């Protein structure tokens, strides 16, 4: 069982920055693929960024060059640095951890944190 707790959301003006944190209850690095998802009102949840168990990173086209996902092994924490924020980045951002062992998927979610980009 992995417990994920997000923090760092809030209200920011367009062009501003925020850093989201996802603290995990146990060791995740090298074991779980970590991801940040977001869901805006009336829209489907979408993958924003992923940090694989092997250390690779992947980003949605809409955030490439603006967002950076990273991890701190010692703190069991994954971060999402968000720069040059736009109003369309407004959403609830959730942290996800998953791994597949012998065909069984272990999938965990945080409670989400609201990010609002507005002047």
């Amino acid at each position: 069982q992995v417990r994920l707790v997000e923090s760092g959301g809030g209200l920011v003006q367009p062009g501003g920055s925020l850093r989201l944190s996802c603290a995990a209850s146990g060791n995740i690095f090298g074991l779980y693929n970590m991801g940040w998802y977001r869901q805006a009102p009336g829209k489907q949840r979408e993958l924003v960024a992923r940090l694989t168990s092997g250390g690779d990173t992947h980003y949605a086209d809409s955030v490439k060059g603006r967002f950076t996902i990273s991890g701190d092994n010692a703190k069991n924490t994954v971060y999402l640095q968000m720069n040059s924020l736009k109003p369309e980045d407004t959403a609830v951002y959730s942290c996800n951890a998953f791994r597949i062992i012998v065909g069984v998927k272990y999938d965990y979610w945080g409670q989400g944190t609201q990010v609002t980009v507005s002047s």
Side-chain angles (χ1 to χ4, degrees), residues 38-46 88:
R38 67 185 181 188
Q39 187 167 22
K43 294 188 177 181
Q44 287 191 330
R45 185 170 60 194
E46 63 172 345
E88 51 263 44

Side-chain angles (χ1 to χ4, degrees), residues 21-45:
S21 300
C22 172
S25 60
N27 182 30
I28 53 174
F29 291 101
L31 298 176
Y32 287 85
N33 299 288
M34 304 299 298
W36 283 98
Y37 288 76
R38 67 185 181 188
Q39 187 167 22
K43 294 188 177 181
Q44 287 191 330
R45 185 170 60 194

